């Protein structure tokens, strides 16, 4: 079904009869819905695509802690603070599952983090925007984690076993994150006019960046055709973006908030909300490192890594001591 000759930028998806036997077997397993596991043979391009996507995803999770971390000390109540802390800790956990999934493909976590810290690796564009008010915690949970769920539920069924399995738990936790975000928005929208205005202002700033999270339009997406053939991507960027808009617009209406898109219309015939033109110049600028917070995020991330060196050293020293103790008491071990 995948095997049409699709041009993907410089690449062309090859038909089954153009493949060497080993690659054909591999593709047929994927087409048959059989998961690929770490020790299975895989084409180099499949491995590279997964390392690229899973590591970008892992980086997004840990950089994604920073905009919300900014509000832990300013949460409006102890309850909100505990919930926010739990959410941010979940994101660290997601990063760990994902780095572990990437490691099964033969790359080291140190190398991946090195690429993040040098600015070579990408992470999601969304985390390069500032969090200016408490309402941003609501908007991030509702819109950003909401978008993440839409993108990641299909990944639970992707062809690479370790990635798919990591996604199952991630999606369960993301669902709590999205609810806590919507709950913050509900509280603000049922509060004073100033609080409602704060919620509206947050939606005004996070709406378009959330749509950009899904990546370039299908026409511009260089990796999509091959990733779809390998069942790493089960839906296109535009399909998932449309799902997000269709799901979120009624939620905004329920809150009594306006979606900041004058061109937004509901098409009765298709049942979809049609949205206006996305500012891809803004997206591309962020990808080039020129968003409002790119430099700050990277600086904070590198500092956190350097400040944690003593802790990583202590873990290694502890593991070495335990191994030495085991060897001393049981030389056969
Ligand atoms: N930001 O050919 P395309 C979270 C890049 S974590 C930056 O469509 P692909 C959360 C793309 O990498 C959310 N870069 O690529 C965490 C590619 O560049 P390279 C993270 C982007 O891979 C904490 C180029 O543009 N989720 O929700 O087929 C707190 C062309 O794009 C972006 C994931 O990582 C972007 N938005 O599709 C709260 C999910 N979009 O690599 C929440 C897994 C595109 O060729 N990833 N690019 O140099 C995916 O599903 C896919 O990788 C994407 C892109 C849909 C993101």
């Amino acid at each position: 079904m995948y095997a049409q000759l699709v041009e993907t930028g410089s690449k062309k998806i090859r038909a089954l009869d153009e493949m060497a036997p080993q690659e054909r077997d591999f593709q047929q397993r994927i087409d048959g819905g059989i998961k690929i596991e770490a020790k299975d043979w895989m084409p180099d391009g499949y491995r590279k695509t997964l390392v690229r996507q899973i590591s970008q995803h892992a980086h997004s999770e840990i950089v994604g802690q920073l905009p919300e971390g900014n509000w832990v000390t300013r949460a409006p109540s102890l309850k909100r603070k505990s919930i926010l802390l739990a959410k941010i800790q979940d994101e660290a956990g997601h990063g760990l599952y994902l780095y572990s999934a990437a490691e099964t493909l033969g790359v080291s976590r140190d190398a991946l983090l090195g690429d993040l810290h040098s600015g070579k690796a990408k992470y999601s564009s969304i985390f390069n925007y500032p969090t200016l008010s408490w309402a941003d915690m609501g908007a991030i949970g509702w819109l950003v984690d909401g978008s993440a769920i839409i993108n990641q539920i299909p990944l639970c069924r992707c062809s690479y076993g370790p990635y798919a399995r990591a996604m199952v738990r991630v999606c369960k936790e993301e669902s709590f994150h999205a609810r806590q975000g919507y709950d913050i928005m509900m509280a603000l929208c049922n509060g004073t006019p100033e609080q409602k205005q704060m919620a509206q202002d947050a939606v005004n700033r996070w709406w378009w960046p959330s749509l950009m999270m899904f990546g370039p339009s299908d026409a511009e997406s260089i990796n999509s055709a091959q990733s779809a053939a390998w069942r790493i991507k089960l839906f296109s960027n535009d399909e998932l973006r449309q799902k997000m808009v269709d799901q979120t617009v009624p939620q905004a209406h329920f809150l009594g908030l306006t979606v900041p898109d004058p061109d937004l219309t509901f098409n009765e015939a298709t049942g979809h909300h049609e949205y206006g033109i996305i500012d891809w110049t803004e997206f591309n600028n962020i990808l080039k490192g020129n968003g409002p917070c790119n430099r700050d995020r990277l600086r904070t991330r590198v500092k956190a890594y350097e400040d944690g060196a003593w802790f990583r050293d202590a873990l290694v020293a502890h593991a070495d001591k335990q191994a030495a103790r085991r060897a001393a008491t049981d030389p056969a071990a």
Side-chain angles (χ1 to χ4, degrees), residues 255-287:
L255 291 169
L257 296 176
T258 309
V259 173
D261 178 355
D263 296 324
L264 190 72
T265 48
F266 183 66
N267 184 329
E268 298 272 354
T270 61
H272 292 301
H273 293 87
E274 290 170 2
Y275 51 92
I277 295 168
I278 294 175
D279 182 355
W280 293 115
T281 310
E282 176 178 320
F283 175 75
N284 289 324
N285 258 331
I286 290 197
L287 262 55

Side-chain angles (χ1 to χ4, degrees), residues 52 56 91 122 125 148 151 213 215 221-223 233 237:
R52 178 182 65 76
Q56 284 175 3
E91 308 301 358
K122 289 193 173 81
S125 50
N151 168 276
M213 273 179 81
S221 169
I222 44 171
N223 302 305
K233 267 182 150 168
N237 297 357

Side-chain angles (χ1 to χ4, degrees), residues 36 44 46 85 88-89 124-125 164-165 187 238 284 286 318:
I36 305 300
D44 207 36
Y46 179 80
L85 264 177
I88 296 170
Q89 284 175 352
S124 183
S125 50
R165 289 189 288 273
D238 285 336
N284 289 324
I286 290 197
H318 179 65

